[in-house]
Amino acid sequence: MSAAPAEPVYRNPVLDADWSDPDVIRVGDDFYLTASSFGRVPGLPLLHSRDLVNWTLVGHALQRLEPESEFAAPRHDCGVWAPSLRHHDGRFWIFWGDPDRGVFQVNAPEIRGPWTRPHLVKAGKGLIDPCPLWDDETGEAYLVHAWAKSRSGVKNRLTGHRMHPHGTELLDEGKVIVDGDRIPGWFTLEGPKLYRHDGWFWIFAPAGGVETGWQGAFRSRAFFGPYEEKVVLEQKDTDVNGPHQGGWVRTPSGEDWFLHFQQRGAYGRVVHLQPMRWGGGGGWPVIGDDGAPVAEHRRPDLPPQPPAAPATDDDFPGGRPGRQWQWTANPRDGWATHHSADGLRLTCVRTPDAHDLRALPNVLTQRLPGTPCTVEVDLRLDDGEPGARAGLAVLGDAYSWIGLQRGPDGTVRLVHRFAETVADQERDAAPPRPAPGGRARLRVDIDAGARCRFSYDTGDTANTADTGDGAGQGGFRPSGQVFAATPWRWVGALLGLVALAPTGQGHAGTATFTQFRIRIQEKRADR
């Protein structure tokens, strides 16, 4: 008799890219997740799963950041921080904190919308990480939030409020319900998620910082406390640093699971799925392997699903970017042209910031994959003015990009540039090269350390014998030195497509991107 097949497992992370500060709910047989989107637009990504392992991106709840004038230029680490997703009274609700403005809320009858315009629930600086609770036992509604010291001078505490059941306003000035300064060894307490379970109010909240912290659980018989605390997930002897900040969800069969992030440098905050159970040592939750994160585990007891992940590749049908793309600020009319064919046609936007991609609002971005990969895209620089340029970028506090630029004599050349973290303008990473026909296929190979190797194929073999880079054999040719991708302060590195031109008068031309592809170099089984 043959042996029984091994029990199917999943491997962490289940979302191997920067889906920062995840929160998760179940509605019927469906699971939904949202995450921080900071200053990118559209914001508040909406992901869907049937098995908690395979996720797809189905839309965004926030089409523009408000107030619009404040997000006309990039504010990479501002905007939408640590949202909470809930389903109540037949509607989906998302609350988030803008550290400079206060607590906002949007809601919708369906996950795909239509979502309401952002409503300011409570104004104030430093109000972050809000989470609502509608208490079915009493009919009361509550909200808890944390504090950003950079704006308020306050941190390491959680404040609770009574909330109007309509979710539109708070009914009191609030009270500190958990003070991390009073708990020995605790610091940077934030990211609370509020639940009701087994007669207790529960707050799941991380502390200790994003790279080195832990997940705490707090409980009280009354919302305003007093609360007792326990560390329920920490790194221990694993290689998962700072495992914390996420959400608890229960499956239809009664299994409990916890989704959280791990900070991974340039890759941002990737998402792990941990088994969870109640009742360990006095009714506390037990997460992972007795409080340590698991690298792999038996799959949730849910119907099998085909492998899936948020989309990355794009042919840009009709000139429209897919859901995976976000602008670095509120978009303006005319940046992209809709048309009947495939391909993204970007206007070479005139700007005084042509020397620094980090300052541009018209960069179209998506998340850097967390596994080694190869990124490729075809680029054509159409008729335009001298100085018009376009390309493929790896964008963070430092950046590098490769692309095409039209010279004063009208010819197009292949250019490769970079800017260090401390630099206020870019410089050449490699000498300009001819690009006959104004076309090139651009490539970035990214290894496990987020080190990026740029290369290009202009289809030209006539004028490359003196390069010494193997160009005489045709195909891709390396360009420049290895570039180590860097994150922003809170955001992982981004892949970007950009078209721009120096200041001047009149239309500066367009650039067309086609066949954007990301090929993962190390595919893993049992996803």
Side-chain angles (χ1 to χ4, degrees), residues 246-513:
W248 159 47
V249 69
R250 175 167 286 177
T251 69
S253 65
E255 288 185 345
D256 295 301
W257 297 86
F258 183 73
L259 282 149
H260 67 91
F261 77 70
Q262 174 199 10
Q263 173 70 29
R264 289 189 56 220
Y267 298 117
R269 302 175 184 182
V270 302
V271 178
H272 292 239
L273 176 67
Q274 301 295 335
M276 176 177 147
R277 60 182 174 84
W278 290 93
W284 292 89
V286 178
I287 300 177
D289 180 8
D290 195 25
V294 300
E296 63 179 47
H297 193 269
R298 172 189 57 81
R299 286 175 176 266
D301 181 20
L302 293 162
Q305 302 295 320
T312 56
D313 295 355
D314 206 346
D315 289 320
F316 309 105
R320 293 171 171 83
R323 295 188 182 102
Q324 65 269 36
W325 297 96
Q326 296 170 293
W327 299 100
T328 49
N330 281 328
R332 302 171 201 167
D333 292 340
W335 285 358
T337 303
H338 297 167
H339 52 87
S340 59
D342 288 352
L344 178 68
R345 190 177 298 162
L346 294 183
T347 299
C348 294
V349 176
R350 291 193 181 276
T351 173
D353 296 315
H355 57 281
D356 190 351
L357 300 191
R358 294 164 295 198
L360 300 184
N362 58 305
V363 184
L364 194 61
T365 68
Q366 66 167 280
R367 293 161 179 82
L368 186 73
T371 54
C373 66
T374 297
V375 183
E376 291 185 10
V377 68
D378 282 333
L379 171 62
R380 184 183 76 241
L381 190 62
D382 299 317
D383 290 342
E385 296 294 313
R389 67 201 75 162
L392 169 66
V394 178
L395 192 64
D397 275 342
Y399 72 84
S400 186
W401 71 278
I402 190 168
L404 300 173
Q405 179 168 330
R406 189 171 298 279
D409 61 356
T411 61
V412 177
R413 300 181 74 81
L414 190 290
V415 297
H416 181 189
R417 300 197 173 108
F418 78 102
E420 302 165 85
T421 300
V422 296
D424 58 5
Q425 63 181 19
E426 63 188 27
R427 55 196 178 101
D428 285 335
R433 306 253 175 97
R439 296 172 178 267
R441 183 141 182 96
L442 311 173
R443 174 188 286 179
V444 186
D445 291 294
I446 306 171
D447 70 14
R451 292 179 294 269
C452 305
R453 293 170 173 82
F454 289 79
S455 57
Y456 65 95
D457 181 3
T458 59
D460 173 39
T461 60
N463 299 307
T464 55
D466 62 344
T467 65
D469 59 9
Q473 302 174 9
F476 281 92
R477 307 157 199 169
S479 179
Q481 300 299 313
V482 173
F483 170 75
T486 64
W488 311 93
R489 186 177 183 188
W490 307 124
V491 180
L494 300 165
L495 299 171
L497 303 178
V498 63
L500 66 150
T503 54
Q505 299 298 316
H507 185 61
T510 60
T512 301
F513 296 87

Side-chain angles (χ1 to χ4, degrees), residues 82-235:
S84 292
L85 174 63
R86 293 292 181 265
H87 190 260
H88 167 72
D89 197 24
R91 298 186 71 85
F92 291 88
W93 302 77
I94 301 178
F95 286 69
W96 75 94
D98 179 323
D100 300 301
R101 299 282 296 174
V103 173
F104 285 88
Q105 169 258 102
V106 292
N107 60 86
E110 304 289 343
I111 195 67
R112 291 172 174 82
W115 289 84
T116 60
R117 286 275 302 271
H119 173 78
L120 185 60
V121 178
K122 180 176 176 59
K125 287 187 175 293
L127 309 180
I128 59 169
D129 310 348
C131 184
L133 172 70
W134 287 270
D135 187 350
D136 293 334
E137 296 181 20
T138 65
E140 299 284 342
Y142 305 96
L143 184 132
V144 63
H145 68 82
W147 294 87
K149 186 175 182 179
S150 59
R151 273 71 164 186
S152 65
V154 177
K155 65 176 290 188
N156 204 34
R157 64 187 61 171
L158 306 179
T159 296
H161 297 264
R162 293 188 182 277
M163 183 176 72
H164 194 291
H166 290 167
T168 55
E169 60 182 316
L170 304 181
L171 302 179
D172 55 35
E173 292 302 310
K175 175 186 175 183
V176 175
I177 57 177
V178 179
D179 186 347
D181 290 344
R182 296 179 177 272
I183 308 174
W186 285 57
F187 60 95
T188 317
L189 177 63
E190 58 187 351
K193 296 294 181 281
L194 182 58
Y195 305 98
R196 199 83 155 95
H197 173 69
D198 196 27
W200 296 86
F201 287 91
W202 290 89
I203 300 174
F204 284 35
V210 296
E211 294 185 352
T212 58
W214 58 89
Q215 179 66 37
F218 300 81
R219 70 180 183 185
S220 174
R221 292 295 185 184
F223 172 71
F224 287 103
Y227 283 84
E228 52 184 325
E229 81 284 341
K230 182 179 177 67
V231 174
V232 292
L233 183 69
E234 56 187 326
Q235 181 171 355

